[in-house]
Amino acid sequence: MGTLDGKVAIITGAARGQGATEARLFVAEGARVMLTDVLPQGDAVAKALGDLAAFAKQDVGSAADWERIVKSTTQRFGRLDILVNNAAIYRMRSLLDTTDEELDEITRVNQRGPLLGMRTVAPAMRAGGGGSIINISSGAGLRGVRNMIAYSTTKWAVRGMTKCAALELAPYRIRVNSVHPGIIETPMLEENPAALNQAMVRATPIGRIGQPEDIARMVLYLASDAAGFITGAEFSVDGGGAV
């Protein structure tokens, strides 16, 4: 018996990195998964997972795309139980160097995307008797960080909207929690200078870089019935960086 037997999930940003790892783990635990991304590589990830997975291209900042994804997921798999709002973009920019265009782009994906996702999946989850929404925030959504003000702003917003949505959706047995990764070995780190990444690893008490599997295992727990009494909470998966 898998931890997620019988459950259906949407995972955004699932073409690579954390999202792809989450999708593989969910399928291994018995879930049927709709992978979405703007990157077409997600199709190959889904095909490798077999009949329990499918891929659809999605702009998470588009309300119409969200309606299409939820409809196609429920039509294909019959229900919807889990949403993982994983899609995000990152730019290393200071306050004074952040352009209006960069701010709008990051906000559209990282902040508008999760809000639209929660709003769109809630009716389907309510019809099915409940569900679990996991919003991927960041350690930068827990504390101030230099030179990533737009990214950090959106990740603080994800943390806040998680708590608001948890209160509003609890009567429908829909749980909403946030996960706050530290430095994780994904393509997103390519935006940083190598010296910065090395310094971040040295500052991590556990003394290593995190792996996508570290995040996926926490997401799996929150998606499962084992976390049935947890909502509105935030979970740091950062090797002790928030201590």
Side-chain angles (χ1 to χ4, degrees):
M1 295 291 290
T3 303
L4 300 182
D5 278 352
K7 295 187 184 296
V8 175
I10 294 172
I11 302 178
T12 68
R16 59 182 187 173
Q18 288 177 186
T21 301
E22 290 156 4
R24 294 185 188 102
L25 182 58
F26 274 33
V27 168
E29 291 292 336
R32 291 164 289 170
V33 181
M34 178 65 76
L35 295 77
T36 82
D37 209 302
V38 294
L39 300 175
Q41 298 95 302
D43 188 50
V45 177
K47 286 179 178 176
L49 293 174
D51 293 339
L52 293 181
F55 171 75
K57 195 170 183 181
Q58 182 190 18
D59 168 11
V60 295
S62 164
D65 268 19
W66 271 110
E67 294 288 349
R68 174 177 55 82
I69 293 298
V70 171
K71 182 178 181 180
S72 61
T73 301
T74 55
Q75 286 179 341
R76 182 180 181 105
F77 296 126
R79 56 184 296 119
L80 179 58
D81 306 281
I82 302 160
L83 169 64
V84 183
N85 275 315
N86 176 78
I89 56 176
Y90 167 67
R91 301 287 183 270
M92 188 176 179
R93 298 285 189 276
S94 70
L95 169 63
L96 299 182
D97 291 334
T98 300
T99 68
D100 293 348
E101 292 75 18
E102 287 170 336
L103 177 60
D104 290 345
E105 178 189 27
I106 293 170
T107 300
R108 176 183 174 83
V109 175
N110 297 9
Q111 183 172 336
R112 176 181 168 89
L115 191 151
L116 291 178
M118 291 191 292
R119 188 182 74 186
T120 311
V121 304
M125 288 185 176
R126 181 181 181 183
S132 176
I133 298 172
I134 302 101
N135 293 323
I136 307 300
S137 179
S138 170
L142 295 171
R143 54 191 175 273
V145 183
R146 290 184 178 88
N147 297 320
M148 55 178 75
I149 189 165
Y151 177 80
S152 182
T153 296
T154 61
K155 292 305 186 177
W156 276 82
V158 168
R159 179 188 180 194
M161 72 173 73
T162 295
K163 295 183 181 298
C164 294
L167 291 172
E168 294 185 16
L169 298 179
Y172 311 129
R173 300 178 62 85
I174 300 171
R175 299 180 293 105
V176 191
N177 294 287
S178 61
V179 173
H180 298 256
I183 181 168
I184 307 296
E185 194 168 25
T186 69
M188 188 175 284
L189 291 185
E190 296 170 4
E191 181 75 14
N192 292 340
L196 174 60
N197 290 333
Q198 293 163 6
M200 292 171 68
V201 172
R202 289 195 299 270
T204 299
I206 284 183
R208 68 168 175 87
I209 193 169
Q211 297 300 313
E213 290 80 7
D214 294 316
I215 306 304
R217 285 190 286 268
M218 174 58 75
V219 172
L220 173 66
Y221 169 67
L222 293 173
S224 75
D225 293 339
F229 200 54
I230 300 174
T231 195
E234 54 202 36
F235 295 84
S236 296
V237 186
D238 61 0
V243 174

